[in-house]
Amino acid sequence: MAQQPRTQTTPTQTSYKKGNLVLFRDAERFWLGLPGHTFVGRVERSWRHADTGKVLYDLVELSGNRARAGIDPDYMRLLPPADAMHDIDTAPLTEPDTGAMTPAAVAWLRQHLTQDNGKPSVQR
């Protein structure tokens, strides 16, 4: 007997803190096929809806510094710092060719090498 295919679900985080970076999808725009349905935002505050009691969030859309209020956390996903820093954490430090590293990893290494040599670490 063949098994029914199972859809993979991603557990949602039930609460977010001020300053968390999140990915938000506007479900209505998404299902209507409209552009601009997904964006990266920073959590500014949380509050409880007076009628439903559900916790909602106010975000700042980072690409345009636009405030977005009353965001449902069911359509938000945390963007973990480890993912943003993965390229630096996994940079091929033994590679003689720095072209194999991403620009972020190279910038991080340059900053730390400058600090280690006793020179100022301010980048211009």
Side-chain angles (χ1 to χ4, degrees):
M1 192 162 164
Q3 286 185 332
Q4 291 291 327
R6 293 175 28 186
T7 58
Q8 186 176 14
T9 60
T10 303
T12 61
Q13 181 178 346
T14 57
S15 64
Y16 299 89
K17 298 176 193 169
K18 181 177 179 163
N20 280 158
L21 296 180
V22 296
L23 189 65
F24 169 71
R25 176 163 286 158
D26 183 322
E28 290 180 22
R29 294 185 69 81
F30 175 76
W31 290 116
L32 291 173
L34 299 173
H37 54 70
T38 304
F39 68 85
V40 175
R42 182 181 57 247
V43 175
E44 291 299 311
R45 74 179 189 115
S46 63
W47 50 279
R48 193 168 298 278
H49 191 278
D51 294 330
T52 65
K54 185 168 187 165
V55 174
L56 301 174
Y57 293 87
D58 292 348
L59 306 178
V60 171
E61 186 175 346
L62 295 182
S63 64
N65 208 28
R66 180 176 154 207
R68 304 280 298 250
I71 302 295
D72 186 332
D74 290 343
Y75 297 97
M76 292 169 44
R77 296 294 181 267
L78 183 65
L79 294 173
D83 290 350
M85 302 307 288
H86 178 76
D87 61 338
I88 291 173
D89 295 338
T90 60
L93 299 178
T94 58
E95 281 289 322
D97 177 21
T98 57
M101 292 186 245
T102 64
V106 172
W108 183 87
L109 286 170
R110 283 186 181 150
Q111 179 182 9
H112 283 279
L113 289 174
T114 302
Q115 288 174 352
D116 292 343
N117 291 333
K119 296 177 185 172
S121 63
V122 177
Q123 301 292 318
R124 294 182 187 197

